Amino acid sequence: MIGLISATAAGAAARDRLAAAWPDRTRVYEGPVGDAVRTAFAQCEQLVCFLATGAVVRLVAPLLSGKMEDPGVVCVDEGGRFAVSLLGGHAGGANELAREVGDLLGAEPVVTTATDAVDLPGLDTLGLPVEGDVAGVSRALLDGEAVALRAEVAWPLPPLPVTQEGPYTIRLTDRLVAAAEREAVLRPPTLVVGVGASKGAPVEEVLGLVGDALREAGLSAASVAELATVDAKAEEAGIVEAARRLGVPLVTYSAEDLAGVDVPNPSDAPLAAVGTPSVAEAAALVGGGELLVPKRKSAASPAMATCAVVRRPGRGRLAVVGLGPGARDLLTPRAKAELRRASVLVGLDQYVDQIRDLLRPGTRILESGLGAEEERARTAVEEARKGQAVALIGSGDAGVYAMASPALAEASDDIDVVGVPGVTAALAAGAILGAPLGHDHVSISLSDLHTPWEVIERRVRAAAEADIVVTFYNPRSRGRDWQLPKALGILAEHRTPRTPVGVVRNASRPDESSRLTTLGTLDPATVDMMTVVTVGNTATRDIAGRMVTPRGYRWQAAQEGAE
């Protein structure tokens, strides 16, 4: 929860804008400012104070307890010009909150955290437990000193300016090791602990068994990703509470699934009890990996718990990112975050140029020209399979005539794939034209490079007969000049010449142009590949120069009756 505190009318107005925009994330604290800050500091994960930074410093200073415990605090000045990350920039999320507040209020985010100031990912912002000389290694990265990366397990990291050798070290490991001098240790969640338990097994026995197994194998509990067991034990109190105390999810599988996993130590006892010859080992091995700790029993007599530990291989990460139609303010915050997270960027050269300034220093860029979509998709998947954090970019939405389809056709289940939606050309053009997509609509590409014209024509005819608004992508090029007239002719068989048609070129870009015409007067020669053409249905109207398709047909009947 984000606590909102203000002292003046101007501050209250800005505060209320945040409260209205984020009703489920914020809580307004009224009353004397000192009391409000103290109460919010104790109750909230973050604070936005519409007060002078000096005043907030004096108010929160007596409340501070530690970097990892204190909430993030952002200050917004009286004029709403700046959103200052004052406290908890990384651990409290204040840096990102300052950016969010700035976006919403039109204020300039002020972030003074050293790594953020020079666009380096902070070691404590990678989403992994970190220990050791974090400050010293971070300072070395900032000063340009040689910092070596020792990756004992594979894990996708954002770009870091690391070398093979150096006096400072970032160690990526799930081993139970103490950080050496000038070393920061990152612990990725690579370990899966399979657990089995008799009915009523105490949580202390389960936790003791898991702790002993990890410690004796030289493994860190901070790298445990999940506890896994059979469905029949999904509500076993000792297992559920053990997962809660370890701070990891409890994942369960059916007995049938576990029975199909090849394990080294099957047993008749679990087979009779829950229908599988193995619970602990099988649950840990479901997703594959290396069995580091075979099934072992707790030391109690009789033993009521078993466990096994598996190291799953680090999985690469492929984010398929839609950049939107071109305008920077239509690039989503999630897309920006994925671009900054990626250590490898793959994309069409002209799209790379659009967002090059958003990439972190050290991002490896693999760009190519038009016509190499399949090659880019293969390259992105190959890089992800090497354990990299990869962003594959495309215009509009990545899943609409863009890179998601070829990438997912190449990808198997050995990598993590994340789709990042974007504003499509059809949506951008629709917003410019008015509301042409207010009812059922369809997008059809007129390019027959990958789809036979016979298939395209059948789809156009179906849309025409169904009276659906149609947006044409790739409508006309120098080598394809007859497809658009043909498609418009098919629509004209079912719609009058007065049917509104919107033509938008380079939607949202500096050279954007648009016009509203009709099916009977549109000249296809004025259309090119940078254009989308939207043809209304029989209910679409030109109202005050805007293209409007009503949500239902009652409006059409009333309009026609008035005529």
Side-chain angles (χ1 to χ4, degrees):
M1 185 62 66
I2 303 171
L4 305 180
I5 300 104
S6 63
T8 66
R15 176 203 68 191
D16 292 343
R17 287 176 61 190
L18 282 190
W22 300 336
D24 297 328
R25 298 176 61 190
T26 57
R27 179 186 302 162
V28 173
Y29 285 80
E30 304 277 9
V33 169
D35 294 342
V37 169
R38 284 188 288 273
T39 303
F41 200 92
Q43 295 179 347
C44 298
E45 291 81 20
Q46 296 175 319
L47 278 69
V48 178
C49 299
F50 297 86
L51 305 165
T53 54
V56 177
V57 167
R58 286 190 292 272
L59 289 170
V60 303
L63 310 176
L64 302 180
S65 59
K67 179 178 180 179
M68 303 308 295
E69 294 80 26
D70 295 330
V73 178
V74 171
C75 292
V76 179
D77 67 288
E78 186 75 6
R81 295 171 299 171
F82 304 102
V84 182
S85 174
L86 183 70
L87 177 69
H90 285 166
N95 291 351
E96 183 57 34
L97 180 59
R99 296 185 181 100
E100 288 188 82
V101 171
D103 286 342
L104 186 60
L105 299 181
E108 181 72 22
V110 179
V111 176
T112 58
T113 308
T115 50
D116 291 71
V118 297
D119 211 17
L120 282 176
L123 297 181
D124 55 351
T125 67
L126 303 181
L128 304 177
V130 59
E131 58 193 59
D133 189 9
V134 179
V137 174
S138 297
R139 188 166 51 249
L141 290 170
L142 290 167
D143 291 342
E145 298 188 50
V147 178
L149 175 64
R150 291 177 55 191
E152 298 175 8
V153 292
W155 198 261
L157 294 175
L160 291 166
V162 293
T163 60
Q164 291 185 334
E165 300 292 337
Y168 293 87
T169 304
I170 298 172
R171 186 174 182 181
L172 190 67
T173 183
D174 56 15
R175 306 295 301 180
L176 186 61
V177 294
E181 185 179 1
R182 297 184 172 184
E183 181 178 71
V185 178
L186 293 170
R187 301 198 181 279
T190 56
L191 305 177
V192 177
V193 179
V195 290
S198 301
K199 184 175 178 59
V203 62
E204 290 76 12
E205 183 172 343
V206 177
L207 282 174
L209 172 63
V210 171
D212 290 344
L214 293 170
R215 185 170 52 255
E216 292 172 19
L219 300 170
S220 172
S223 283
V224 175
E226 62 189 45
L227 258 57
T229 190
V230 66
D231 284 346
K233 297 297 178 179
E235 297 182 4
E236 184 64 47
I239 296 177
V240 172
E241 179 62 14
R244 190 192 69 79
R245 292 192 193 179
L246 288 169
V248 298
L250 176 63
V251 180
T252 66
Y253 301 96
S254 69
E256 182 180 4
D257 287 340
L258 297 186
V261 178
D262 187 26
V263 298
N265 300 293
S267 172
D268 291 336
L271 180 62
V274 294
T276 172
S278 172
V279 173
E281 287 182 339
L285 284 166
V286 165
E290 177 186 5
L291 183 63
L292 302 179
V293 179
K295 181 182 73 173
R296 58 181 289 171
K297 297 181 180 180
S298 57
S301 182
M304 299 185 72
T306 60
C307 82
V309 183
V310 164
R311 175 188 289 139
R312 288 185 181 170
R315 294 166 63 87
R317 188 176 190 277
L318 173 61
V320 189
V321 181
L323 301 181
R328 178 58 60 86
D329 59 354
L330 293 181
L331 178 67
T332 67
R334 187 179 300 180
K336 292 179 184 178
E338 289 295 346
L339 294 176
R340 295 175 60 76
R341 176 174 181 164
S343 59
V344 179
L345 182 87
V346 182
L348 179 67
D349 47 14
Q350 64 188 62
Y351 297 151
V352 172
D353 289 340
Q354 289 180 21
I355 47 83
R356 198 182 297 270
D357 63 302
L358 297 177
L359 304 177
R360 290 192 187 273
T363 303
R364 187 155 54 95
I365 300 173
L366 305 176
E367 54 188 314
S368 53
L370 287 168
E373 287 83 3
E374 288 79 7
E375 177 186 343
R376 285 195 290 275
R378 284 193 295 271
T379 297
V381 172
E382 288 168 3
E383 290 293 328
R385 284 182 175 143
K386 296 175 185 177
Q388 301 289 336
V390 182
L392 174 63
I393 60 173
S395 66
D397 181 273
V400 180
Y401 303 123
M403 294 305 301
S405 294
L408 269 61
E410 290 286 337
S412 52
D413 62 358
D414 57 346
I415 62 173
D416 294 325
V417 178
V418 177
V420 182
V423 178
T424 67
L427 294 177
I432 293 165
L433 294 169
L437 309 182
H439 207 283
D440 299 334
H441 54 274
V442 63
S443 295
I444 299 177
S445 171
L446 294 183
S447 173
D448 55 1
L449 295 177
H450 300 287
T451 305
W453 175 254
E454 293 76 13
V455 174
I456 296 173
E457 182 174 336
R458 187 165 66 248
R459 292 171 179 171
V460 174
R461 195 170 297 281
E465 294 174 352
D467 196 27
I468 295 175
V469 175
V470 182
T471 296
F472 289 123
Y473 280 71
N474 306 312
R476 184 177 181 275
S477 67
R478 292 179 181 178
R480 295 186 301 99
D481 59 0
W482 58 268
Q483 287 90 341
L484 179 58
K486 177 68 173 177
L488 294 174
I490 294 172
L491 292 176
E493 296 174 9
H494 300 269
R495 301 177 195 184
T496 72
R498 293 189 303 165
T499 300
V501 176
V503 180
V504 180
R505 187 177 191 278
N506 283 333
S508 85
R509 300 184 182 186
D511 56 346
E512 169 191 299
S513 64
S514 65
R515 67 185 189 277
L516 185 56
T517 182
T518 66
L519 189 57
T521 59
L522 173 63
D523 180 4
T526 62
V527 173
D528 62 13
M529 286 289 286
M530 305 303 294
T531 306
V532 291
V533 178
T534 300
V535 182
N537 64 17
T538 57
T540 305
R541 294 290 185 271
D542 177 345
I543 301 177
R546 301 181 184 93
M547 188 175 178
V548 181
T549 302
R551 293 180 61 185
Y553 286 89
R554 296 173 183 171
W555 176 89
Q556 179 190 16
Q559 182 78 5
E560 290 175 347
E563 294 175 355

